[in-house]
């Protein structure tokens, strides 16, 4: 198993540009999520999905869109990049959480994004 | 406010020594507490997960403790190795469902030869 994969690993954008961060998992996990990690702050949830066709907002969703057309893929779209979106982005997945309190969460290697 | 605070922010120890990292939380209602290890430039990796009824859990040289009454947890690393150099993140869940996780800012550990 490759686990959770993310592409690209690094990206530089200009203000106003759009792009899609890719995330895929091969563990047949129902639950997938996107986080951003900024210096001096804990990981913050952007969007999450509990299964194909179902997505919801997390703590910091503004400026980002997601879709979940398959179990495996969960792309994150930046609509119009801003310098405040400079961050490291992590995708994570886990089995369905209904009634499972101690399920392990698996993280991807991250995408380091710089917006100029 | 739901918060997770970790101390110290950073720590340097000699290879072979033991160390203990602290985590205090004000998250309510409590579901479980997790410790993650994050190597530089990598994603977090789960070390331990403890529910309300568990007060200790081990994973090799890593031992986590939980005192749900005082809302404190610690991560003890025994006989440290250079590969233990990483950030250690304490995470508390308010409820079932990963959207309820509250992340600490982490303790950065450097193990020096």
């Amino acid at each position: 198993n490759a686990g959770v994969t993310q592409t690209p690993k690094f990206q530089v954008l200009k203000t106003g540009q759009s792009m899609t961060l890719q995330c895929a998992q091969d563990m047949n996990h129902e639950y997938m999520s996107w986080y951003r990690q900024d210096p001096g702050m804990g990981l913050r949830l952007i969007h999450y999905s509990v299964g194909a066709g179902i997505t919801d907002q997390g703590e910091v969703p503004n400026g980002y869109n997601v879709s979940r057309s398959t179990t495996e893929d969960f792309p994150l779209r930046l609509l119009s990049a801003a310098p405040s979106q400079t961050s490291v982005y992590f995708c994570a997945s886990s089995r369905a959480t209904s009634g499972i309190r101690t399920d392990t969460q698996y993280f991807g290697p991250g995408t380091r994004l710089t917006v100029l | 406010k739901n918060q997770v605070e970790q101390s110290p922010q950073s720590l340097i120890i000699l290879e072979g020594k033991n160390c203990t990292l602290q985590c205090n939380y004000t998250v309510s209602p409590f579901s479980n507490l997790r410790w993650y290890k994050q190597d530089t430039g990598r994603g977090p990796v789960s070390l331990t997960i403890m529910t309300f009824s568990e007060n200790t859990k081990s994973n090799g040289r890593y031992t986590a403790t939980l005192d749900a009454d005082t809302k404190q947890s610690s991560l003890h690393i025994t006989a440290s190795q250079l590969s233990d150099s990483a950030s250690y993140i304490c995470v508390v869940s308010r409820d079932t469902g990963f959207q309820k996780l509250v992340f600490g800012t982490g303790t950065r550990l450097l193990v020096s030869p």
Side-chain angles (χ1 to χ4, degrees):
Chain A
N1 286 350
V4 180
T5 58
Q6 292 183 236
T7 57
K9 193 166 181 60
F10 300 96
Q11 183 70 49
V12 178
L13 292 178
K14 294 181 179 179
T15 298
Q17 288 184 317
S18 63
M19 78 160 294
T20 300
L21 278 63
Q22 301 292 343
C23 173
Q25 52 89 12
D26 61 357
M27 297 174 282
N28 201 32
H29 285 169
E30 291 294 327
Y31 190 96
M32 297 186 73
S33 52
W34 277 101
Y35 294 90
R36 60 179 289 172
Q37 187 174 41
D38 300 296
M41 302 185 72
L43 276 83
R44 292 183 292 169
L45 182 65
I46 304 172
H47 285 285
Y48 66 95
S49 169
V50 298
I54 306 170
T55 64
D56 206 345
Q57 297 181 349
E59 179 186 358
V60 287
N62 292 342
Y64 308 94
N65 272 357
V66 292
S67 60
R68 185 94 178 270
S69 57
T70 67
T71 299
E72 295 77 21
D73 299 299
F74 190 43
L76 177 72
R77 281 181 285 277
L78 278 69
L79 309 173
S80 177
S84 61
Q85 294 179 305
T86 293
S87 187
V88 181
Y89 292 85
F90 290 100
C91 179
S93 76
S94 63
R95 292 184 304 168
T97 60
S98 175
I100 301 174
R101 293 185 168 215
T102 58
D103 212 6
T104 298
Q105 191 177 28
Y106 297 88
F107 284 84
T111 294
R112 184 174 294 275
L113 175 67
T114 301
V115 182
L116 303 175
Chain B
K1 184 178 179 181
N2 293 303
Q3 282 187 315
V4 175
E5 296 183 349
Q6 295 187 241
S7 62
Q9 279 191 325
S10 61
L11 181 63
I12 303 174
I13 62 173
L14 290 175
E15 185 179 10
K17 298 297 186 181
N18 304 335
C19 69
T20 300
L21 313 181
Q22 300 291 342
C23 173
N24 296 337
Y25 62 93
T26 58
V27 176
S28 182
F30 174 88
S31 176
N32 59 68
L33 186 143
R34 302 161 184 261
W35 283 95
Y36 288 88
K37 178 187 179 188
Q38 184 176 21
D39 293 320
T40 301
R42 308 287 292 272
V45 174
S46 181
L47 291 176
T48 62
I49 306 171
M50 290 183 291
T51 61
F52 183 88
S53 60
E54 298 174 296
N55 55 23
T56 186
K57 183 160 283 189
S58 292
N59 179 357
R61 295 179 295 101
Y62 300 100
T63 299
T65 64
L66 172 64
D67 186 335
D69 291 333
T70 62
K71 298 187 176 181
Q72 295 179 326
S73 177
S74 64
L75 181 69
H76 186 74
I77 304 175
T78 304
S80 62
Q81 300 176 358
L82 298 179
S83 59
D84 293 329
S85 295
S87 288
Y88 292 84
I89 303 172
C90 176
V91 186
V92 180
S93 176
R94 289 184 289 138
D95 202 346
T96 56
F98 287 98
Q99 62 270 31
K100 304 292 188 180
L101 297 179
V102 182
F103 288 79
T105 56
T107 291
R108 187 180 297 271
L109 174 66
L110 176 63
V111 180
S112 176

